[in-house]
């Protein structure tokens, strides 16, 4: 029987771990699942154990020399000099024991999600262990080793010959995924992120529209620092809706980094849970409108693992399964279990407090600037949609 939604998970995903003090902390997966279980919103048979990605599958997006280097690093046998050339052994992306297996496991999770959805075994699949959007074919970067989404999209092209719309709402630019499909017109990428002026990785400019065959299939909305919910969502809705109409995808892949939240320690956007409630809602709607429901969602960044990520990521699953009325207090047992272990005071409601931050005087300027950014970014899309309308009008 076809399932509506599957949740890809196993404890093996927790082995992707750089160190005790690294900001990328998969304990957020445990916190999220535990929250969903307390709510009664996830059942054992919703959970699908991910497979491993094979070397052949990794090679769809990665260079053989890079995979060999990761394997050497994984067993502690890669020299420091060589590591540097592959983006390894840095403060951001240090080497850890078993890193090949752990990284290939994350890719396998996204491939498992793809097979469920593209083989028609489920409408939607969520793999929160994925979303490592900074990985490049021959280089690790920004906490990312293998790029699960890029491998999975190459796999979709090869195995299912479907047109993919990739939408990335992580606060950082989805540079690795964009780069893998920059000259490809079968894959359209949209990244909405904090401007790279002061934030890693620095790319994701409004005029990165793709090249060659891929020109007009890459879109970027770099938002001003301190952007709040209204402007984030106005930009997201305009871009996603119009690009879906322009590109008419067969399947939608969303990357759901939860690091645009006001509390996130690494970025400077000012989203609240309102944004994280709205992001999956529109993805869900457009997947049904254009793709017969085919929607694969992965995780990504998110560094306030206690107050932000469990709620934000639960909301993706709850949207997928159509759970009604997600508001009011969080399950008491969840709060009781985790508050003693948390270094911060947990938020005890699904929504953030209305006085979470002081209003900033530049708000109107920021909104106006973001509106201009969206207008510039979507120029090609709007020209094309206008032509389509004129044609249809004749
Ligand atoms: Zn990020």
């Amino acid at each position: 029987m076809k399932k509506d939604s599957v949740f890809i998970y196993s404890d093996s995903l927790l082995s992707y771990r750089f160190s005790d003090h690294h900001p990328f902390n998969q304990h957020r997966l445990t916190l999220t699942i535990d929250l969903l279980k307390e709510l009664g919103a996830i059942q054992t048979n919703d959970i699908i154990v991910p497979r491993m990605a094979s070397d052949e599958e990794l090679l769809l997006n990665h260079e053989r020399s890079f995979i060999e280097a990761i394997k050497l690093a994984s067993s502690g046998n890669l020299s420091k000099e060589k590591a540097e050339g592959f983006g390894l052994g840095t403060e951001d992306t240090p080497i850890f024991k078993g890193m090949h297996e752990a990284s290939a496991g994350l890719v396998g999770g996204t491939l498992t999600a793809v097979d469920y959805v593209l083989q028609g075994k489920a409408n939607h699949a969520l793999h929160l262990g994925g979303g490592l959007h900074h990985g490049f074919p021959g280089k690790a970067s920004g906490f990312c080793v293998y790029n699960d989404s890029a491998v999975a999209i190459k796999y979709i092209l090869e195995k299912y010959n479907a047109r993919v719309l990739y939408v990335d709402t992580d606060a950082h630019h989805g540079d690795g995924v964009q780069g893998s499909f920059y000259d490809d017109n079968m894959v359209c990428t949209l990244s909405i992120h904090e401007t790279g002026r002061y934030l890693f990785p620095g790319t994701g400019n409004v005029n990165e529209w793709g090249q060659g065959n891929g020109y007009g299939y890459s879109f970027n909305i770099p938002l001003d620092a301190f952007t709040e919910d209204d402007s984030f969502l106005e930009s997201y809705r305009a871009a996603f809706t119009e690009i879906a109409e322009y590109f008419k995808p067969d399947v939608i892949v969303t990357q759901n980094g939860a690091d645009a939240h006001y509390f996130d320690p690494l970025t400077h956007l000012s989203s609240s849970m309102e944004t994280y409630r709205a992001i999956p809602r529109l993805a869900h709607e457009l997947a049904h409108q254009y793709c017969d429901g085919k929607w694969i969602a992965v995780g990504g960044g998110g560094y306030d693992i206690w107050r932000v990520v469990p709620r934000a990521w639960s909301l993706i699953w709850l949207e997928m399964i159509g759970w009604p009325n997600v508001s009011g207090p969080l399950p008491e047992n969840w709060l009781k279990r985790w508050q003693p272990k948390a270094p911060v005071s947990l938020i005890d409601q699904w929504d953030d407090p209305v006085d979470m931050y002081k209003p900033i005087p530049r708000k109107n300027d920021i909104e106006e600037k973001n509106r201009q950014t969206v207008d510039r970014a979507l120029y090609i899309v709007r020209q094309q949609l206008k032509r389509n309308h004129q044609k249809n009008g004749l």
Side-chain angles (χ1 to χ4, degrees):
M1 201 182 81
K2 185 166 179 170
K3 286 171 176 290
D4 187 59
S5 301
V6 289
F7 190 103
I8 313 295
Y9 181 78
S10 112
D11 286 344
S12 68
L13 298 172
L14 306 178
S15 64
Y16 189 82
R17 185 174 176 79
F18 295 103
S19 73
D20 287 349
H21 308 290
H22 196 283
F24 190 99
N25 184 345
Q26 293 294 48
H27 187 51
R28 57 202 182 142
L29 295 178
T30 306
L31 297 171
T32 303
I33 293 194
D34 194 51
L35 180 52
L36 289 168
K37 282 185 176 160
E38 275 301 335
L39 203 64
I42 193 161
Q43 314 303 329
T44 316
N45 64 358
D46 294 329
I47 299 175
I48 305 294
V49 174
R51 64 178 174 86
M52 278 286 278
S54 66
D55 284 9
E56 206 171 54
E57 287 163 342
L58 295 174
L59 281 165
L60 290 169
N61 187 64
H62 292 284
E63 290 160 16
R64 191 176 293 277
S65 58
F66 178 63
I67 299 171
E68 294 310 322
I70 300 297
K71 284 183 179 170
L72 284 174
S74 198
S75 54
N77 293 311
L78 188 70
S79 71
K80 217 174 157 208
E81 301 76 65
K82 284 209 170 132
E84 226 168 88
F86 293 108
L88 293 169
T90 61
E91 197 183 326
D92 273 3
T93 320
I95 289 169
F96 63 97
K97 209 170 175 266
M99 75 188 301
H100 169 75
E101 291 74 15
S103 308
L106 300 190
V107 179
T110 306
L111 293 172
T112 304
V114 163
D115 282 334
Y116 260 80
V117 171
L118 275 291
Q119 287 171 13
K121 289 192 278 183
N123 285 321
H124 320 308
L126 176 58
H127 175 230
L128 293 171
L132 280 79
H133 61 171
H134 298 306
F136 283 88
K139 201 167 178 172
S141 171
F143 316 160
C144 304
V145 182
Y146 300 133
N147 190 322
D148 59 287
S149 299
V151 173
I153 294 171
K154 297 263 183 188
Y155 177 80
I156 292 175
L157 295 178
E158 194 182 272
K159 192 168 171 191
Y160 299 102
N161 192 32
R163 291 156 59 79
V164 186
L165 174 56
Y166 170 84
V167 179
D168 185 321
T169 47
D170 193 286
H172 301 89
H173 176 224
D175 55 351
V177 181
Q178 173 179 297
S180 285
F181 305 99
Y182 209 54
D183 55 5
D184 194 332
N185 60 9
M186 284 284 283
V187 179
C188 185
T189 62
L190 164 64
S191 179
I192 301 171
H193 45 264
E194 178 182 335
T195 166
R197 221 171 302 137
Y198 311 108
L199 188 71
F200 178 88
T203 50
N205 254 304
V206 72
N207 60 355
E208 293 170 27
W209 282 303
Q211 66 188 18
N213 280 342
Y215 184 78
Y217 295 91
S218 165
F219 297 97
N220 287 283
I221 315 279
L223 298 171
D224 242 30
F226 309 111
T227 293
E228 299 178 18
D229 290 317
D230 288 350
S231 184
F232 189 108
L233 288 174
E234 180 186 324
S235 311
Y236 168 72
R237 288 189 179 117
F240 196 171
T241 311
E242 292 180 37
I243 289 170
E245 171 65 17
Y246 153 89
F247 182 66
K248 299 207 165 54
D250 299 318
V251 51
I252 292 173
V253 177
T254 60
Q255 194 271 19
N256 295 270
D259 49 2
H261 192 279
Y262 176 72
F263 285 150
D264 195 90
L266 301 190
T267 68
H268 319 92
L269 295 173
S270 300
S271 289
S272 79
M273 237 9 93
E274 192 187 325
T275 289
Y276 291 106
R277 197 186 280 279
I279 284 174
R281 186 172 295 164
L282 182 62
H284 193 185
E285 194 184 305
L286 293 174
H288 280 288
Q289 191 175 338
Y290 291 97
C291 311
D292 200 19
K294 290 188 210 62
W295 172 30
I296 294 139
V298 295
Y303 308 100
D304 190 319
I305 68 160
W306 298 97
R307 292 179 296 183
V308 175
V309 184
R311 289 183 299 154
W313 282 1
S314 290
L315 286 170
I316 307 170
W317 176 250
L318 296 171
E319 171 61 38
M320 271 188 179
I321 62 169
W323 191 259
N325 274 333
V326 194
S327 60
L330 296 185
E332 208 176 294
N333 284 338
W334 187 84
L335 293 165
K336 266 202 207 135
R337 183 146 53 246
W338 298 110
Q339 183 59 76
K341 300 191 169 72
V344 286
S345 187
L346 296 176
I347 307 260
D348 62 2
Q349 307 280 320
W350 281 101
D351 294 297
D352 285 314
V354 283
D355 57 352
M356 185 166 59
Y357 52 81
K358 286 203 192 80
I360 65 160
R362 280 182 49 235
K363 184 175 173 175
N364 287 338
D365 294 344
I366 292 170
E367 291 185 351
E368 192 41 45
K369 201 154 171 228
N370 288 340
R371 232 166 255 146
Q372 288 169 11
T373 300
V374 171
D375 287 344
R376 270 196 74 202
L378 296 184
Y379 175 77
I380 298 171
V381 173
R382 287 175 179 170
Q383 289 293 312
Q384 185 62 46
L385 290 177
K386 217 158 94 190
R387 276 197 294 272
N388 291 352
H389 287 149
Q390 280 164 354
K391 236 191 312 187
N392 295 339
L394 285 174

